[in-house]
Every structure is written in structure tokens, then in C-alpha cells.
Amino acid sequence: MEAPKVKMKWRPGLALVIYTVLLAVMALPVAVIAWFRAVEATSGKMEPAEITALIVALAFTVVVAYVLTRTITTPINALIARTEAIARGGKAEIQPLDRYGTQEIATLSQSFLDLAGKLVDRTDYVRSFAMYVSHELKSPLTAIRGAAELLRDDDADYPMSFPQRQRFLDNIIADAKRLDILLSRLRELSNAELPNVRGQANLEAVLPRLREQFPTLRITAAGLASSSFGLPAETATIVLSNLAENAGQHGATELNIAVAVSEQQVALIVRDNGRGIAPSNWDRIFQPFFSTRREMGGTGMGLGIVRAMLGAYGGTIELIDSEAGAAFALELPKLSETG
């Protein structure tokens, strides 16, 4: 979608407006003096008191003009220049201004810098995400194409044996399934990036779905399971399902979800009794497409989807220490924005 364009027409600059107003203020005492002189028909010579008053008014106007320029015009022009610099130089140009002038301009500048940082990070994310997706799609597509070409070019004089043909067909089916899983994960991630549903849920409402989806896992709850948090039930189910799926894939038979409530947030501590996560992988588990089960069909997108979904609703997730298995701390908003 193309950004809306500002209608181009002549508009006075801020400096012109400020100085015009100040000149009008300055002209007021001059007009008053001229009026009273005309009415009283006094001599054209100005009295010392009148000259002093005009000098004081002029000095006051200059001081006010300097203050307004220093506190309003200069910071706004600097913010405009910083915007153009960020557009040219990217993240390296996201720097605070030398001066802000007023509290409102400082707040505006901070909001702008925060937005610029998010936009630059989003650009970097999309670039790296596109690179990862193209790499992940290329491998199974190459394998499918190679197997299909071998089947197509099978020599009639020396045909493949049935086991060979079956092996190539199995490879095609397996790679097609992997592509299907990958595309499903991409759809989930797309929905996570642009949430269009707001709502509330609680752990009591989500637990039956989890237990039905993962019958081999013993899923239990502790704490205030009836406390509502600012995620729709479907989103909460996807988040916890990804964690439960990871736990099951790493040999877990039990999954416990503990709930703690503060004034602003609901904290979920999700623990399993599986093999856990190797310390060498702690810094990598949230990276897109990182998986320790790639040979078994893992896409490495589950935790990325969880983080994106929680982030879209104002929540966070982090890996925490655990004596056995893996443990994650989820911070969720207590109430949705729409109430």
C-alpha cells in the first residue's frame, strides 16, 4: 500500500508564523503611541518614556523570538533532518537529537525513534526471513525434482527395480509432507505477525484442548489457572501447543503449567520432564528455522511462532533454568487492550 501523499500547496513555515505573530505584537505598542499622538495632536517628537517603551518591547520581542526558535523551530528541523538521514543510512542513523526544546517535542522524538527502530528491525527481519525461507524450500524442492527426473528418465532396457522406484516415490512423498508442514508454519507465523482478533482466555479453558491434542502427555496446572490473560483462546492454544509438541518430541511425558498473577501481567511457567535443551543451543532456540530434529522433519519455526504471537499481543517468552527438562517463562498481558 502506497503511503498517502500530502497535498502540495503553499503553506507558511513555522518560523514565518512565529515571526509574523511577534512582529504583530511588536507593532501593537507602536500603533497605540501613534493613535494617542494623533488624538492629542501633540508634537511629532517622541518622548523619552515612549522611546524606552518601544526599546523594551523590541528587546522583549527578540528574546521571545529566540526562545521560540531555540525550543520549537530548531528541534523540529533537526527531527526532519534525522528522518531523512535514517531513510538514507538506516539503523546507524537512529541517534537522539542534540536538544529537544520542550517536553512535547522530546516525547515526539522518542516515539519517532522507537518507531524508526522497529521499522528498521522489521526490514532486517523480513530480509533474513526471506533468506531462511528460500533455503528451507530449496532443499525439498531439489530432492523432489531430482527423484522425479530419475523416475522420468528410467531406462527401458535397464529399468529400476521395484524397491528403487518405491524409495524414490517415498522420498517425494516425504519431501512434499515437509513442504506442507513448512507452509503451515509460515501461515501460522503470518497470522502471528498481524493479529486481527483481540480477546481473553485462561488456562482452564485451554487445558482440555491441549490434553485432547496431546494424549500421551500428562498436562497439569498449578496456581491461579482461572486468571484471564490478554490472548484469544485460539492464540493461547497455538502457543502452548507448540511448547507441548516440543516437549513430546524431546521425550517428555509430563508438562506442568504454573500460573502467577501480578497487577499488570499473568506469568506462565511451562516445564516438562524431557531431555531438555543443551546449553550450547540456548542462544539459538528462538532463531528462525533452528532445529535439532531436522532429520526427523522439524522445521525450527515453533518457538519463533510462539515468540511472534506473544510479541504481537504484548507478551514475552524466555528460556529459564530447570533442574530437569526444559522450562519457559511466559509473560502475558493481564487484560486485552479492548477489555
Side-chain angles (χ1 to χ4, degrees):
M1 177 180 176
E2 186 178 356
K5 301 294 184 181
V6 177
K7 185 177 181 180
M8 300 306 296
K9 63 179 182 180
W10 185 86
R11 294 181 178 87
L14 180 59
L16 178 60
V17 173
I18 290 175
Y19 285 110
T20 300
V21 172
L22 292 177
L23 288 174
V25 173
M26 176 63 193
L28 182 60
V30 177
V32 171
I33 292 174
W35 168 262
F36 280 107
R37 280 185 165 275
V39 170
E40 296 179 4
T42 56
S43 63
K45 186 177 179 181
M46 295 184 66
E47 297 294 332
E50 294 173 337
I51 296 175
T52 302
L54 291 177
I55 292 175
V56 170
L58 177 61
F60 179 75
T61 302
V62 172
V63 170
V64 172
Y66 174 78
V67 171
L68 291 177
T69 301
R70 181 91 172 173
T71 58
I72 298 178
T73 307
T74 301
I76 288 179
N77 288 334
L79 186 58
I80 294 172
R82 184 56 47 81
T83 303
E84 296 172 348
I86 292 173
R88 294 191 304 268
K91 198 167 187 175
E93 298 296 333
I94 301 179
Q95 301 291 337
L97 304 181
D98 294 333
R99 62 178 61 91
Y100 296 102
T102 67
Q103 183 64 40
E104 290 76 11
I105 294 179
T107 302
L108 174 64
S109 299
Q110 186 61 57
S111 299
F112 165 76
L113 292 176
D114 291 342
L115 177 60
K118 291 179 180 178
L119 291 176
V120 172
D121 288 342
R122 173 64 58 185
T123 300
D124 293 340
Y125 171 80
V126 170
R127 185 184 299 112
S128 61
F129 184 77
M131 179 183 66
Y132 279 120
V133 169
S134 62
H135 176 269
E136 289 297 312
L137 292 176
K138 183 177 180 179
S139 296
L141 285 174
T142 301
I144 290 174
R145 179 178 179 179
E149 288 178 348
L150 288 173
L151 290 172
R152 182 195 61 186
D153 299 335
D154 187 18
D155 191 342
D157 295 330
Y158 301 96
M160 290 183 186
S161 64
F162 178 79
Q164 289 177 320
R165 184 178 296 274
Q166 192 66 32
R167 178 166 58 86
F168 284 125
L169 291 174
D170 290 341
N171 289 341
I172 291 175
I173 294 173
D175 285 323
K177 288 181 178 179
R178 177 170 174 75
L179 286 174
D180 185 60
I181 293 174
L182 181 60
L183 292 175
S184 296
R185 294 295 195 185
L186 289 173
R187 284 193 295 268
E188 288 182 3
L189 187 58
S190 175
N191 292 333
E193 292 292 323
L194 297 172
N196 55 12
V197 177
R198 295 288 174 180
Q200 296 183 43
N202 57 51
L203 190 57
E204 286 183 345
V206 176
L207 279 178
R209 305 184 189 184
L210 289 177
R211 288 166 177 158
E212 180 180 357
Q213 189 174 353
F214 302 97
T216 60
L217 271 179
R218 182 174 176 269
I219 303 176
T220 59
L224 302 175
S226 61
S227 300
S228 296
F229 43 78
L231 291 181
E234 182 179 356
T235 301
T237 302
I238 293 175
V239 167
L240 295 176
S241 293
N242 275 286
L243 296 180
E245 182 178 358
N246 281 348
Q249 290 172 348
H250 289 80
T253 58
E254 296 181 2
L255 184 75
N256 179 262
I257 307 172
V259 184
V261 182
S262 65
E263 291 185 5
Q264 301 271 335
Q265 294 179 319
V266 176
L268 303 183
I269 305 298
V270 183
R271 298 180 184 273
D272 65 59
N273 65 342
R275 293 186 294 273
I277 298 171
S280 59
N281 291 331
W282 272 48
D283 295 333
R284 307 173 63 193
I285 60 170
F286 291 106
Q287 292 179 2
F289 301 102
F290 172 74
S291 175
T292 59
R293 300 181 63 259
R294 189 167 302 280
E295 69 282 358
M296 291 176 279
T299 63
M301 296 182 64
L303 290 177
I305 291 171
V306 169
R307 172 174 277 185
M309 280 191 164
L310 292 178
Y313 287 93
T316 61
I317 180 173
E318 63 175 336
L319 181 65
I320 59 175
D321 289 325
S322 179
E323 294 181 359
F328 294 89
L330 284 66
E331 295 286 343
L332 311 177
K334 190 173 183 181
L335 297 173
S336 66
E337 294 180 1
T338 58

